[in-house]
Amino acid sequence: MAAPSWGVLRLRVRGSGQGVGSLLCLVPKPFCTAAAASKPLDAQQLAERLRAQKQEEKAKKEPELKNPVQRRVHELVRFTQQLQRVHPNVLAKALSRGIVHQDKDLVVINKPYGLPVHGGPGVKLCISDVLPILAKVLHGHKAEPLHLCHRLDKETTGVMVLARNKEVAHQVQELFRTRQVVKKYWAITVRVPVPSAGVVDIPIVEKEVQGQQHHKMTLSPSYRMDNGKMVRVRANRSAHVAVTEYQVLSSTVSSALLELHPITGEGAATPGGRRHCPAGCPWLSVDLIAEIDTKLMLMYSDWNKLAPQKLSASTLRKLGLPQSKARHLPLHLHARQLVLPALGSRKEELSLVCRLPRYFVRSVSRLGLELPSQDPDEQQS
């Protein structure tokens, strides 16, 4: 039994010929006040009270968003933040529900938005951390940890190949290194490229933003216009070769849905390759930031400015967003398809296709674009 707490009680007393005085007495606290006589809270009641207080504080801090598009963008931002705080077991189970393909050699997942593949500064949880747990969820407690075969950037969604043993992982990595894997990405761009199909063959280089200690990937073309004439410029020794085929799948006056086929190692899903889209047609995302080698690589239209892109009034109106909220618009770049050549006992090529994330499909609809897919589930997602 817990010891009672004590309170102080002041009593007025009258003595014979001594006038009025006061006497201090110690009494058990339950006798002091009626409120103190109530039953103490048990652990469950205390937890419920704390939870309610946190919800009230959160409701005061977060303004109510009446616009449904702003609510969905806000939910996506909150979801990506929650991915960094969930327990590894919870994340492994979530990834297991997005399995695209699995056999005795490979496991293919649909990578969600906002989840990094590798750890790094500020990264609390990543895909590589949960591969041992994911293997146990799929194949039992004695399963060997899964192995990464390639990488996708944090903001890129779609097909991601994992191997069930190191030998297969090395074989698949060699296929990627020697460019034997066909990669196709879908992206939404601001403005429409002309012509509607072609090849972007422009080297990519890392440059420092003038006056600031930040670096970002930019295009390093081999030619420039000088008084109406095309003049060849000296090649930058630090530039990386980058070649990407593109095709417009659907377009409006102000935006387009593209299919991209990277030819070189600087693929569309890497931070360098994300800069490699048709001239004047940046991805539909305002704040594209990727942290690589402790440097910020910011992809914007103007390499000399460290400021977000400005979306046109018509695009913002279609998306239902003010310019001040457009910063939270997610990157619309999806690894749609990978085609792996014959490997090991498999004598035929393997085509892997991933459904688009829900936010991507909604943006397609609001921008007036059309999906070429005939999958009715994807059209309605």
Side-chain angles (χ1 to χ4, degrees):
M1 181 176 178
S5 57
W6 296 86
V8 178
L9 183 66
R10 183 183 295 272
L11 300 176
R12 302 184 66 188
V13 295
R14 183 184 299 273
S16 58
Q18 300 295 327
V20 178
S22 62
L23 179 66
L24 298 179
C25 300
L26 290 176
V27 298
K29 201 166 186 179
F31 297 105
C32 294
T33 60
S38 61
K39 289 182 62 177
L41 296 176
D42 58 25
Q44 181 178 355
Q45 292 172 331
L46 181 60
E48 291 176 351
R49 176 177 293 183
L50 292 175
R51 190 179 299 114
Q53 290 176 353
K54 287 183 178 180
Q55 290 177 349
E56 290 178 2
E57 293 175 359
K58 190 175 181 180
K60 292 178 181 178
K61 291 180 180 179
E62 295 183 359
E64 182 180 356
L65 300 175
K66 298 181 179 180
N67 188 300
V69 179
Q70 293 184 25
R71 282 202 304 269
R72 287 197 292 270
V73 172
H74 180 73
E75 289 171 0
L76 185 61
V77 172
R78 186 172 58 187
F79 172 71
T80 57
Q81 294 172 347
Q82 290 173 348
L83 281 175
Q84 296 291 309
R85 296 194 295 265
V86 300
H87 192 276
N89 291 352
V90 177
L91 179 57
K93 290 182 179 179
L95 293 176
S96 69
R97 290 192 291 267
I99 296 295
V100 176
H101 168 86
Q102 62 175 322
D103 54 35
K104 66 183 185 65
D105 294 324
L106 303 174
V107 173
V108 183
I109 63 174
N110 187 350
K111 180 191 170 298
Y113 177 86
L115 182 63
V117 175
H118 298 285
V123 175
K124 298 179 181 178
L125 189 62
C126 59
I127 290 180
S128 61
D129 290 341
V130 300
L131 291 184
I133 304 173
L134 180 59
K136 293 179 180 179
V137 170
L138 296 174
H139 309 123
H141 290 285
K142 295 184 179 180
E144 179 184 345
L146 297 169
H147 302 272
L148 293 169
C149 296
H150 63 116
R151 62 154 293 182
L152 291 177
D153 198 53
K154 176 182 175 181
E155 292 87 2
T156 305
T157 59
V159 183
M160 185 158 198
V161 181
L162 309 172
R164 296 183 62 173
N165 58 69
K166 287 185 178 181
E167 182 180 355
V168 174
H170 292 156
Q171 293 175 359
V172 177
Q173 290 167 2
E174 184 64 15
L175 293 177
F176 276 94
R177 190 187 69 81
T178 56
R179 302 171 189 171
Q180 298 182 55
V181 180
V182 177
K183 299 174 286 186
K184 293 184 179 180
Y185 299 85
W186 283 9
I188 300 178
T189 60
V190 180
R191 296 187 290 275
V192 184
V194 177
S196 59
V199 177
V200 181
D201 183 2
I202 305 176
I204 293 177
V205 67
E206 181 182 354
K207 287 187 178 181
E208 182 177 0
V209 180
Q210 290 185 2
Q212 304 190 42
Q213 295 180 349
H214 292 288
H215 293 74
K216 62 180 182 178
M217 299 300 289
T218 63
L219 300 178
S220 179
S222 302
Y223 295 87
R224 64 179 175 85
M225 296 299 295
D226 186 8
N227 295 327
K229 295 182 179 180
M230 187 172 292
V231 180
R232 185 175 180 85
V233 298
R234 181 180 298 178
N236 191 316
R237 294 183 178 181
S238 303
H240 302 279
V241 176
V243 181
T244 302
E245 293 181 354
Y246 74 92
Q247 179 181 357
V248 177
L249 302 178
S250 177
S251 65
T252 62
V253 175
S254 57
S255 59
L257 173 64
L258 303 186
E259 182 175 82
L260 305 160
H261 176 204
I263 306 299
T264 58
E266 291 291 339
T270 64
R274 292 192 318 191
R275 190 68 182 88
H276 214 236
C277 60
C281 303
W283 311 127
L284 180 59
S285 177
V286 176
D287 207 2
L288 276 62
I289 302 179
E291 189 166 348
I292 298 179
D293 299 331
T294 68
K295 298 178 182 178
L296 286 178
M297 318 273 282
L298 294 94
M299 278 61 77
Y300 297 110
S301 295
D302 189 346
W303 76 267
N304 199 32
K305 294 180 180 179
L306 195 62
Q309 296 172 5
K310 295 281 187 179
L311 297 180
S312 67
S314 61
T315 300
L316 291 171
R317 185 168 57 252
K318 291 177 181 178
L319 294 173
L321 291 173
Q323 181 65 52
S324 60
K325 299 295 183 182
R327 173 176 294 277
H328 302 296
L329 195 64
L331 175 67
H332 288 64
L333 180 60
H334 178 69
R336 173 66 175 178
Q337 182 182 18
L338 287 182
V339 180
L340 296 174
L343 180 68
S345 60
R346 179 168 45 81
K347 303 303 180 183
E348 298 179 352
E349 67 179 19
L350 179 63
S351 179
L352 305 164
V353 179
C354 256
R355 293 178 57 184
L356 294 168
R358 186 172 299 177
Y359 76 88
F360 196 115
V361 177
R362 286 175 174 170
S363 295
V364 167
S365 175
R366 293 189 69 89
L367 292 171
L369 300 169
E370 296 181 358
L371 290 174
S373 172
Q374 299 302 314
D375 184 356
D377 294 333
E378 186 169 69
Q379 296 281 1
Q380 298 171 7
S381 63

